[in-house]
């Protein structure tokens, strides 16, 4: 899906992503932990600012949503993470002071590989935001 204006992006985040946790990155400033990061039930409510949303990542236990500003539009990508095996979800340290760890899900797809005589081989297709995790931020 494509969104054409920053206002459409704000509306999408504020109206469609209740129940998701995630963050937004604006074009004109660093991430503000109190305004741009949504976790522990904090409902996404993003205000319009002088800059524009450069990217945003949200997730619940079923979907990962990525919003990226590319040229003249914002591209919204949705990935199913409900069936990602627990071992394929990794957590990483956050550089935002006092924030939990960041979870990323690896999406693997089994495909026939001609270099392995057509046998099925898992290939990493993408890595997506999967939420936050309590624990040491380091």
């Amino acid at each position: 899906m494509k969104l054409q204006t920053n206002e459409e992006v704000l509306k999408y985040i504020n109206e469609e992503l209740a129940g998701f946790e995630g963050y937004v990155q604006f074009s004109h400033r660093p991430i503000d932990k109190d305004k741009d990061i949504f976790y522990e039930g904090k409902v996404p409510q993003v205000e319009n600012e002088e800059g524009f949303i450069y990217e945003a990542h949200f997730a619940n236990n079923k979907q990962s949503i990525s919003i990226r500003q590319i040229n003249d539009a914002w591209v919204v990508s949705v990935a199913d993470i409900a069936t990602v095996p627990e071992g394929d979800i990794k957590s990483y340290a956050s550089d935002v002071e006092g924030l939990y760890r960041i979870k990323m899900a690896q999406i693997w797809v089994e495909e026939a590989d001609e270099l392995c005589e057509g046998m099925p081989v898992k290939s990493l297709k993408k890595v997506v935001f999967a939420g936050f995790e309590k624990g040491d931020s380091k």
Side-chain angles (χ1 to χ4, degrees), residues 19-21 59-64 80-84 89 103 130-131:
F20 284 74
E21 57 184 24
N60 60 16
N61 291 327
K62 298 175 186 149
Q63 295 180 317
S64 175
D80 174 24
I81 59 172
T83 59
V84 173
I89 298 177
K103 294 189 305 183

Side-chain angles (χ1 to χ4, degrees), residues 23-34:
Y23 67 93
V24 295
Q25 171 67 65
F26 278 89
S27 62
H28 66 290
R29 62 173 175 76
I31 293 175
D32 180 328
K33 182 179 120 182
D34 297 321

Side-chain angles (χ1 to χ4, degrees), residues 2 28-29 62-63 80 117 122-123 125-126 136:
K2 280 189 179 181
H28 66 290
R29 62 173 175 76
K62 298 175 186 149
Q63 295 180 317
D80 174 24
E117 299 197 11
K122 285 189 174 182
S123 298
K125 291 300 175 182
K126 59 179 143 181
D136 186 5

Side-chain angles (χ1 to χ4, degrees), residues 72-126:
D72 65 342
W74 285 259
V75 177
V76 179
S77 300
V78 179
D80 174 24
I81 59 172
T83 59
V84 173
E86 192 174 315
D88 289 341
I89 298 177
K90 310 290 184 194
S91 67
Y92 300 92
S94 166
D95 64 352
V96 178
E97 186 67 33
L99 183 63
Y100 301 159
R101 297 176 63 83
I102 296 171
K103 294 189 305 183
M104 301 297 286
Q106 300 172 353
I107 311 257
W108 296 83
V109 175
E110 201 169 88
E111 358 181 79
D113 186 339
E114 66 181 53
L115 298 175
C116 293
E117 299 197 11
M119 292 188 299
V121 174
K122 285 189 174 182
S123 298
L124 180 63
K125 291 300 175 182
K126 59 179 143 181

